[in-house]
Amino acid sequence: MDKARIDELIAAAFEVRENAYAPYSEFTFGAALLGMDGRIYTGCNVENGSYGLTSCAERNAVFTAVAEGCRNFAAVALAGGRDFIVPCGACRQVLSEFNVDRVILTKCDGSYKIVALKDLLPCPFSL
């Protein structure tokens, strides 16, 4: 994946982050998922007063992509805050289910690093 495509994915993650619904934590998060079909699918976190019903940005992006017919992905970019934020365990497992290989972690200052999902989730659940 070239730098222009990485930049496009990161920009999409930061853009969708603005749509996050986070009245309880005030922590907004965005995810942009690059499908093997070339399309970018986005998601943001959506909190709920019953915290267990909160849905993460990464899962929202995956579920949107699947609903639109895409099930193979090249990478996901995550936009959180001042520090690199990694996906929660549930999101790591969902990303693993769909073979997302690269996770692009970003900071608000524009810096980023790319990590392999297998380094974040070395022993995924599988059937």
Side-chain angles (χ1 to χ4, degrees):
M1 183 170 19
D2 64 17
K3 176 133 174 49
R5 195 62 161 159
I6 291 169
D7 290 344
E8 181 182 16
L9 205 56
I10 290 170
F14 275 102
E15 183 177 335
V16 74
R17 177 180 176 230
E18 297 300 317
N19 296 332
Y21 177 75
Y24 308 104
S25 72
E26 297 182 5
F27 181 76
T28 57
F29 202 72
L33 188 62
L34 177 60
M36 293 299 230
D37 60 3
R39 292 180 56 194
I40 294 175
Y41 302 90
T42 60
C44 59
N45 59 315
V46 179
E47 294 182 347
N48 190 281
S50 176
Y51 294 128
L53 299 179
T54 292
S55 186
C56 297
E58 301 92 314
R59 283 181 279 155
N60 284 334
V62 169
F63 300 158
T64 295
V66 169
E68 293 183 21
C70 185
R71 295 186 178 174
N72 296 297
F73 307 101
V76 64
L78 307 177
R82 294 178 301 189
D83 297 313
F84 293 123
I85 307 294
V86 297
C88 73
C91 287
R92 292 176 199 196
Q93 180 60 45
V94 168
L95 293 169
S96 175
E97 178 79 15
F98 291 96
N99 301 307
V100 176
D101 182 42
R102 289 172 282 195
V103 180
I104 303 166
L105 307 175
T106 67
K107 291 183 184 180
C108 288
D109 67 4
S111 62
Y112 69 90
K113 66 180 178 179
I114 301 173
V115 298
L117 183 62
K118 67 181 180 181
D119 292 334
L120 297 176
L121 184 67
C123 299
F125 177 81
S126 63
L127 295 177

